[in-house]
């Protein structure tokens, strides 16, 4: 069974790493990885392929930059050509980026079934480009592979009930796989000269936080206030770096570093006093490492992290009482996905 996996952005490399590992163990499956080129810096792309031992992409489409429509359109043209040549049994798309949308549309229009990993998430904020991408991708997918119960309910509300499965979170699979390696291979704590439990970890990259200088300034000021208590380590996404420079927003008082690899990130999460982030992935990883999180947004797709007391929106003062979250599964989400691909739907 030939499978084409389309990836392009950092969180997709991590999700695809878990699925690729499970596909590689299946003798009846052959995976072809296609990299759209959406993220192309070595520290946003290559390092994840190396560290997570993801098979090298068979095709690299080299599409990045431009407006959303231009980028998505160019990706669709390039992905369509690959799919038309390969005729896979499935196209797998991940998450909610322009690469997800482009590949889902290109495949669906060629009548190639689409399997959407991380289906059903909703922020209910249509101003987010990610929300448009995930809603549209879900509506053309044949297999909707949900990480949470809330995702199932979201899809049901939109009338999507066929091909919908709760499989758990492939990012949890990835965390379990990397945790031991991170402990032995990462030297980030020493390199940054911080103490375990003696620093906060932050990431900021969502368009809603970077596009508006006033909003970015608010976030930076909030982080600077926390830095009075303990160092705030902020691995800086290229979009945020450019936005801060453009708007003349100083980042003094924060421990800025370039984006880090996945193993360094796992180590930083493990030793963080708390995590401040607008990243979907980090909100869950904070829980996987049992660290409290503050989400630097006005809503979250990962509602169970808030309900279970591990996460709160920065607009809300208190955490709910803490409990464990069963939704993300037992580290075998990718195995379940492979079984469903084999079964057809
Ligand atoms: N990540 C990383 N290095 C960084 C920042 C993030 O390895 O400097 C990882 C993080 O651990 C998570 C994923 O990238 O697994 C999240 O990606 P991102 O925040 O870009 O996207 P989102 O999750 O918001 O879609």
């Amino acid at each position: 069974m030939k499978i084409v996996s389309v990836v392009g952005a950092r969180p997709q490399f991590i999700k695809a790493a878990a699925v690729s590992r499970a596909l590689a163990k299946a003798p009846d499956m052959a995976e072809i990885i296609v990299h759209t080129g959406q993220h192309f810096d070595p520290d946003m792309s290559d390092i994840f392929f190396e560290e997570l031992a993801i098979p090298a992409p068979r095709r690299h489409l080299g599409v990045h930059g431009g407006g959303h429509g231009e980028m998505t359109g160019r990706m669709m043209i390039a992905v369509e050509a690959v799919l038309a040549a390969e005729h896979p049994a499935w196209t797998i798309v991940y998450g909610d980026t322009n690469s997800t949308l482009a590949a889902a549309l290109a495949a669906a229009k060629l009548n190639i079934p689409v399997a959407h990993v991380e289906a059903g998430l909703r922020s209910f904020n249509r101003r987010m480009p990610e929300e448009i991408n995930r809603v549209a991708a879900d509506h053309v997918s044949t297999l909707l592979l949900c990480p949470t119960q809330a995702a199932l309910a979201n899809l049901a509300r939109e009338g999507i009930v066929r091909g919908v499965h709760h499989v758990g979170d492939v990012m949890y699979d990835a965390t379990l796989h990397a945790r031991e390696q991170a402990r032995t291979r990462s030297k980030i704590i020493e390199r940054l000269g911080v103490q375990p439990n003696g620093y906060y970890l932050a990431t900021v990259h969502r368009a809603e936080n970077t596009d508006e200088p006033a909003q970015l300034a608010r976030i930076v000021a909030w982080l600077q206030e926390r830095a009075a208590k303990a160092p705030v380590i902020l691995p800086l996404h290229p979009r945020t770096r450019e936005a801060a420079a453009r708007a003349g927003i100083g980042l003094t008082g924060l421990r800025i570093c370039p984006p880090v690899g996945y193993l360094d990130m796992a180590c930083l999460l493990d030793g963080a006093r708390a995590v401040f982030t607008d990243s979907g992935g980090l909100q869950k990883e904070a829980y996987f490492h049992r660290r409290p999180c503050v989400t630097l947004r006005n809503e979250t797709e990962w509602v169970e992290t808030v309900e279970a007391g591990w996460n709160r929106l920065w607009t809300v003062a208190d955490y709910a009482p803490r409990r464990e979250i069963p939704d993300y599964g037992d580290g075998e989400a990718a195995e379940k996905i492979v079984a469903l691909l084999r079964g057809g739907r």
Side-chain angles (χ1 to χ4, degrees):
M1 184 179 267
K2 194 192 272 190
I3 314 269
V4 167
S5 280
V6 182
V7 294
R10 175 169 64 188
Q12 295 170 327
F13 308 140
I14 293 153
K15 290 163 200 162
V19 175
S20 283
R21 215 169 8 254
L23 283 171
K25 281 193 245 155
D28 54 334
M29 303 264 176
E31 187 191 26
I32 294 172
I33 296 181
V34 176
H35 190 322
T36 62
Q38 187 171 345
H39 283 170
F40 54 91
D41 290 348
D43 55 8
M44 294 291 288
S45 175
D46 302 2
I47 187 166
F48 297 97
F49 282 84
E50 286 155 27
E51 283 188 344
L52 303 177
I54 308 169
R58 179 89 61 86
R59 299 287 301 272
H60 201 297
L61 308 179
V63 181
H64 50 81
H68 282 275
E70 181 190 344
M71 190 200 295
T72 309
R74 286 166 57 215
M75 284 174 182
M76 272 187 78
I77 294 169
V79 170
E80 183 180 61
V82 175
L83 295 176
E86 297 289 351
H87 297 295
W90 287 101
T91 298
I92 309 184
V93 299
Y94 298 85
D96 55 21
T97 72
N98 289 342
S99 302
T100 315
L101 177 62
L105 287 177
K109 281 172 174 283
L110 290 171
N111 289 323
I112 295 169
V114 176
H116 185 196
V117 174
E118 211 173 76
L121 293 192
R122 296 292 182 267
S123 65
F124 303 101
N125 175 1
R126 290 271 169 117
R127 294 179 59 83
M128 282 179 81
E130 294 89 345
E131 184 79 350
I132 308 294
N133 293 340
R134 43 172 103 98
V135 169
D138 281 341
H139 280 262
V140 297
S141 291
T142 299
L143 256 185
L144 296 107
L145 303 158
C146 298
T148 63
Q149 294 293 345
L152 260 76
N154 291 337
L155 291 174
R157 234 178 281 122
E158 292 172 24
I160 305 177
V161 288
R162 271 193 86 191
V164 177
H165 302 269
H166 176 221
V167 291
D169 189 357
V170 291
M171 291 192 85
Y172 184 50
D173 300 16
T175 292
L176 291 183
H177 188 81
R179 192 174 260 168
E180 276 317 303
Q181 281 188 58
R183 285 194 183 124
T184 51
R185 281 173 57 188
S186 170
K187 300 279 171 276
I188 187 90
I189 299 288
E190 294 87 329
R191 211 164 67 230
L192 292 175
V194 285
Q195 296 300 318
N197 233 18
Y199 62 88
Y200 299 117
L201 173 64
T203 75
V204 179
H205 76 287
R206 294 250 93 80
E208 67 203 73
N209 282 336
T210 55
D211 284 2
E212 268 292 315
Q215 176 66 3
L216 183 56
R218 263 195 296 277
I219 299 258
V220 168
W222 191 93
L223 293 174
Q224 284 166 332
E225 266 175 45
R226 267 75 210 160
K229 281 204 206 143
V232 174
I233 297 174
L234 177 62
L236 207 54
H237 192 285
R239 178 197 279 161
T240 317
R241 190 185 60 225
E242 285 156 23
R246 217 176 22 246
I249 296 170
L251 301 171
T252 46
L254 305 177
R255 292 288 304 272
I256 306 299
C257 63
V260 296
Y262 189 66
L263 299 182
D264 282 347
M265 197 42 142
C267 244
L268 284 174
L269 279 160
D270 229 21
R273 199 180 277 189
V275 178
F276 309 139
T277 190
D278 62 6
S279 156
L282 257 291
Q283 289 174 57
K284 283 172 300 157
E285 286 168 342
Y287 166 68
F288 299 157
H289 292 262
R290 301 298 188 271
R291 302 287 142 184
C293 181
V294 179
T295 291
L296 305 172
R297 288 176 49 199
N298 296 336
E299 72 271 316
T300 178
E301 300 78 11
W302 302 101
V303 288
E304 55 292 320
T305 59
V306 173
E307 288 159 7
W310 293 95
N311 189 9
R312 66 175 172 89
L313 303 180
W314 70 325
T315 48
V316 173
D318 295 317
Y319 290 92
R322 257 189 205 171
R323 60 173 167 77
E324 293 294 289
I325 306 173
D327 293 58
Y328 303 129
D330 46 13
E332 288 175 5
E335 306 286 347
K336 290 181 184 150
I337 289 170
V338 171
L340 287 164
L341 292 170
R342 191 178 283 121
R345 67 170 47 201

